Amino acid sequence: MVIKSFNILFIYILFITLTSYSVANSKQLSKSPFIPDDILNKYDDLPKDYKLKICGFNNYKPKKNIINKDLAPKILGYNSRMDNWKIVEGVYSRDVFKEYADAITYASVNENDKVKEFLFDKLYTWAKNNALSATKQCYTNSKDKPILKDCEGEWSDPNGQDIAPIKDATVAIEIVMGLNYIYNLNFTSYKTDDPRHKKINQWFKSFYKRIKPVSKFYMGNSAGWFFPNITLKHNNNKNYKSLVKKLIKGADKWILKDGSIKDRTTRGNRSLWYHHTGLGEAFMILEIANAANVKIPKNYEKNLLKAAELFQDGFMDNSILEPWAKKAHNSQASSGVQKFNKNLDGVSFNGPWFHIIQYRYPDHRTSKFLKSKMTTRARSLKSDEIAGIGIGCIYNALANFN
């Protein structure tokens, strides 16, 4: 009887020890590196019908005709300015990815297993076919040689009309990593014994060697490659808190006191666009820091909100951006006119910040402005062409729930 009691006590102590060890050594700071757990939990608790409505999914049907075009074998032909996109080989892959991302957000909200299975099998098909793998490799994961020699020299033409294979490589990685982010959030617990998972993960991993390691922070390329590098550590259950600290410290130096963003608000007739994409990354960085429980620098939010106000003012009156735009960094002169979609509902690329700001700072003037200008038809609600996952839907649903 004493021996039996001892064995039970031993097993109990062993269980507690192993559980404590597992918790203590878990390096994943949140379910998704992009979204704090408390946000996901609150969102999951919202009524399904409400989420379908607020995220614009009433009467929505996945565009299978576009998704079924499938990802191309490769991306080929971008110039440095990327304004020749209409003639780039495989460029339709971006549309395939966008519609796929919209559809997975819908399947998640609507709890539609049929659509989810269709999308999971699509991932498997693309993995089996090594989609986009024939795109020229320009980056390596080596700190000594992060860019291959024959991919150097972008913007050798001041007007950006030089062919730049590094742009092809970047777009291909953005698409594949966007699908990886989607997989992590939606499929890791789906049919866990299904052998298709192995092929999908092999395909993702084949692109990891094409991801440039982080060095100095800059805006663009998913915050200077921080987003994919953080994800790789998250995937492998490695500690990445120091990487998040470096990320937020770097971003803090790029969002300036006057509300401009370094090397973004100075982009000539595309200044409003690059300022917007900078805001997209800056707000995502804010959420990554929140998810990792990393302290925000003292003036980060203050300067970020000033940058949001500059976007609002520059959107309403393009000439307001001219003091910065006239520097024409890697761009063409603006003469007070910006190339930017006048309908904010039509903007999805780096669009989640439109909704994050409304949740985090509901009384801010730019939050109220965005709410007045946007509807449930907004493309940024369903997905983002960088993160893939429907971050806009999540924050918009929380921002408007009474």
Side-chain angles (χ1 to χ4, degrees):
M1 192 72 178
V2 173
I3 294 174
K4 185 176 181 181
S5 298
F6 176 80
N7 287 340
I8 292 171
L9 179 62
F10 176 77
I11 291 170
Y12 174 75
I13 292 171
L14 182 62
F15 171 76
I16 295 297
T17 301
L18 290 174
T19 302
S20 299
Y21 178 84
S22 178
V23 171
N25 286 274
S26 176
K27 304 298 190 294
Q28 286 193 346
L29 303 173
S30 54
K31 183 179 179 182
S32 167
F34 301 112
I35 310 167
D37 282 344
D38 66 314
I39 296 294
L40 279 175
N41 291 337
K42 290 175 185 175
Y43 171 76
D44 287 342
D45 288 340
L46 295 176
K48 182 173 78 172
D49 289 346
Y50 165 75
K51 288 189 284 189
L52 285 170
K53 180 179 179 181
I54 203 69
C55 295
F57 285 117
N58 281 349
N59 303 316
Y60 169 85
K61 289 184 179 179
K63 294 182 180 179
K64 291 185 178 181
N65 60 319
I66 295 178
I67 297 170
N68 281 330
K69 288 182 179 178
D70 294 324
L71 298 178
K74 62 183 174 182
I75 304 289
L76 177 66
Y78 274 112
N79 61 27
S80 288
R81 190 181 293 281
M82 300 180 77
D83 60 358
N84 68 330
W85 60 270
K86 289 183 179 179
I87 61 170
V88 170
E89 182 181 346
V91 71
Y92 67 86
S93 297
R94 277 192 146 173
D95 294 330
V96 172
F97 171 64
K98 178 65 176 71
E99 296 304 333
Y100 182 98
D102 287 0
I104 191 59
T105 304
Y106 164 75
S108 174
V109 173
N110 200 36
E111 301 167 13
N112 190 314
D113 290 338
K114 187 175 180 181
V115 173
K116 193 168 184 178
E117 169 57 28
F118 164 74
L119 296 172
F120 182 69
D121 197 58
K122 269 294 159 190
L123 267 187
Y124 171 69
T125 298
W126 297 337
K128 187 174 60 174
N129 294 335
N130 287 314
L132 298 175
S133 298
T135 306
K136 186 177 182 63
Q137 180 176 348
C138 286
Y139 302 103
T140 75
N141 55 10
S142 167
K143 290 186 177 181
D144 295 329
K145 198 171 185 63
I147 300 176
L148 296 176
K149 189 173 182 179
D150 56 351
C151 291
E152 295 175 350
E154 63 173 324
W155 286 96
S156 57
D157 173 16
N159 292 317
Q161 299 306 298
D162 53 303
I163 296 300
I166 201 166
K167 300 298 187 183
D168 304 335
T170 301
V171 170
I173 294 168
E174 284 176 350
I175 292 171
V176 174
M177 287 308 297
L179 290 168
N180 201 164
Y181 305 149
I182 288 171
Y183 174 86
N184 290 348
L185 191 63
N186 294 277
F187 291 119
T188 51
S189 299
Y190 179 75
K191 297 183 178 180
T192 53
D193 294 330
D194 194 308
R196 289 175 293 178
H197 282 283
K198 183 178 180 180
K199 177 59 71 175
I200 291 167
N201 279 294
Q202 285 174 343
W203 179 55
F204 288 147
K205 287 175 183 177
S206 72
F207 277 84
Y208 294 169
K209 63 185 179 183
R210 303 181 182 217
I211 293 173
K212 182 183 175 186
V214 297
S215 52
K216 290 184 178 180
F217 175 89
Y218 63 93
M219 288 288 186
N221 294 145
S222 296
W225 298 91
F226 271 90
F227 294 177
N229 277 283
I230 285 172
T231 298
L232 296 189
K233 285 186 176 291
H234 185 276
N235 290 355
N236 294 321
N237 200 30
K238 293 182 178 180
N239 194 314
Y240 57 92
K241 199 160 191 173
S242 61
L243 204 56
V244 175
K245 290 178 180 178
K246 186 177 180 181
L247 168 65
I248 190 73
K249 185 178 179 180
D252 188 45
K253 294 178 180 178
W254 276 62
I255 306 169
L256 307 178
K257 292 180 181 179
D258 61 5
S260 67
I261 301 175
K262 182 182 175 182
D263 290 349
R264 311 301 281 180
T265 322
T266 54
R267 299 290 286 264
N269 63 352
R270 297 283 281 164
S271 290
L272 186 60
W273 170 256
Y274 280 100
H275 186 82
H276 153 73
T277 59
L279 281 167
E281 292 189 351
F283 272 95
M284 189 65 71
I285 290 166
L286 179 68
E287 294 311 293
I288 289 172
N290 285 327
N293 197 26
V294 169
K295 187 178 179 181
I296 307 296
K298 183 179 178 181
N299 292 315
Y300 186 86
E301 290 175 283
K302 178 183 176 182
N303 294 340
L304 181 59
L305 291 174
K306 194 163 186 178
E309 291 171 3
L310 184 56
F311 170 83
Q312 175 186 347
D313 297 340
F315 179 83
M316 296 303 292
D317 180 359
N318 290 173
S319 66
I320 287 173
L321 293 175
E322 195 58 24
W324 299 277
K326 67 183 180 182
K327 296 178 183 179
H329 172 69
N330 280 358
S331 58
Q332 298 171 338
S334 67
S335 302
V337 179
Q338 291 293 314
K339 292 180 68 175
F340 194 88
N341 196 329
K342 291 182 172 61
N343 176 17
L344 290 178
D345 275 354
V347 180
S348 62
F349 194 89
N350 278 125
W353 83 267
F354 293 150
H355 312 285
I356 295 172
I357 189 175
Q358 292 182 58
Y359 174 73
R360 293 291 182 191
Y361 313 99
D363 297 323
H364 189 267
R365 71 172 172 97
T366 303
S367 295
K368 294 176 180 178
F369 165 76
L370 291 169
K371 190 171 183 176
S372 70
K373 288 289 183 180
M374 302 179 75
T375 71
T376 54
R377 294 189 296 274
R379 296 187 70 207
S380 54
L381 284 174
K382 295 180 176 63
S383 65
D384 168 37
E385 281 126 308
I386 295 297
I389 52 183
I391 295 172
C393 172
I394 292 169
Y395 284 85
N396 188 62
L398 292 173
N400 290 283
F401 188 70
N402 297 319

